[in-house]
Amino acid sequence: MLDSSPQREPEEISHPFVAAVYDTVVPDRLLFRTHREYLTADLSGRVLDIGAGTGANFPYVAGDGIDYQAIEPDPHMRRQAAEKAREVGCEVTLRDARAESLPYADDSVDVVLSSLVFCTIADPDRALEEVARVLKPGGELRFLEHVRADGWRERGQELLNPLWSRAAGGCQLTRDTVERFVCHDAFAVEAVERVGVGIFPATPIVRGRLRRRRDGLRG
């Protein structure tokens, strides 16, 4: 029997307070400069930054020969990202879109950048399928993400997560993001490493690169 009930529209993503204080509360250049340089090194072709936030990657992206695209569904974050792009001279096409429904054709992107974003995506599995869909065979997913800890830190994250999520714009402390990435059939692992930055409870932080398999598998 077909379900004829109307489809629910996804809830609007809007966190004005988080957007207003994010760049002040998170010392991004102090904590993540080296890792953002890792993400943005030697870019070419079409690059898609999913969940651009306030534009933390923008100062590191050299525009020569790059078609730099970025999405950010929160209008407050997106406004600040646009301002940052102007400040640092970053040529970027910034769009209102969600990672679960990327407005790009199949096999049309050379590199996807994901930096501290899969913790907030409502449906991370669908988002990863979308990343696999838009990446060209042989294209890269480069990531920097915080993940579920272990031991007493994991228990602490589980206790803190409900409050943290409300205060931090939906950020989840307990996601196994890297396991989700490396276990997906569409990707071959090139590098994964834990990095010694971050502040509990949003630790550990892991960075790496995956390559879209050329056999066309998408899970």
Side-chain angles (χ1 to χ4, degrees):
M1 181 177 180
L2 294 175
D3 182 2
S4 60
S5 60
Q7 296 295 311
R8 293 180 59 188
E9 291 293 324
E11 293 184 9
E12 181 185 8
I13 299 174
S14 179
H15 303 286
F17 177 75
V18 175
V21 303
Y22 187 86
D23 285 345
T24 301
V25 172
V26 180
D28 195 273
R29 279 188 173 271
L30 177 64
L31 291 176
F32 302 121
R33 178 172 183 168
T34 299
H35 307 297
R36 294 197 185 279
E37 290 172 347
Y38 168 87
L39 290 181
T40 58
D42 302 319
L43 293 173
S44 62
R46 171 173 275 190
V47 178
L48 173 58
D49 193 341
I50 60 171
T54 62
N57 284 329
F58 292 178
Y60 305 94
V61 177
D64 292 343
I66 296 174
D67 175 11
Y68 187 33
Q69 304 281 321
I71 65 163
E72 175 49 57
D74 187 312
H76 309 284
M77 291 277 193
R78 194 168 61 250
R79 189 177 306 116
Q80 290 181 231
E83 292 174 1
K84 185 168 292 183
R86 287 191 292 270
E87 289 172 3
V88 302
C90 177
E91 295 185 9
V92 56
T93 301
L94 181 60
R95 304 176 73 171
D96 174 9
R98 300 182 184 226
E100 298 97 329
S101 183
L102 294 173
Y104 300 95
D106 295 0
D107 306 337
S108 63
V109 175
D110 295 284
V111 180
V112 170
L113 306 179
S114 171
S115 54
L116 306 177
V117 63
F118 264 81
C119 56
T120 60
I121 292 172
D123 188 342
D125 290 316
R126 180 172 180 136
L128 189 57
E129 290 295 329
E130 280 289 274
V131 170
R133 178 183 68 79
V134 303
L135 268 176
K136 296 176 181 178
E140 284 186 298
L141 168 58
R142 302 182 183 183
F143 64 87
L144 176 73
E145 299 285 350
H146 69 80
V147 300
R148 179 192 291 269
D150 48 27
W152 67 266
R153 291 180 178 83
E154 179 183 15
R155 293 190 291 274
Q157 286 175 333
E158 290 172 349
L159 290 172
L160 290 170
N161 196 58
L163 178 61
W164 177 273
S165 178
R166 288 194 294 272
C171 174
Q172 304 293 318
L173 295 170
T174 56
R175 286 193 173 163
D176 295 315
T177 298
V178 173
E179 181 177 351
R180 174 177 282 113
F181 286 176
V182 302
C183 291
H184 196 289
D185 289 341
F187 297 103
V189 178
E190 295 213 323
V192 175
E193 59 182 318
R194 186 177 292 196
V195 298
V197 298
I199 302 170
F200 182 81
T203 54
I205 293 177
V206 180
R207 74 181 191 183
R209 298 185 182 194
L210 307 179
R211 192 167 296 278
R212 166 76 196 286
R213 295 185 188 276
R214 295 184 181 274
D215 55 17
L217 287 174
R218 293 199 181 107

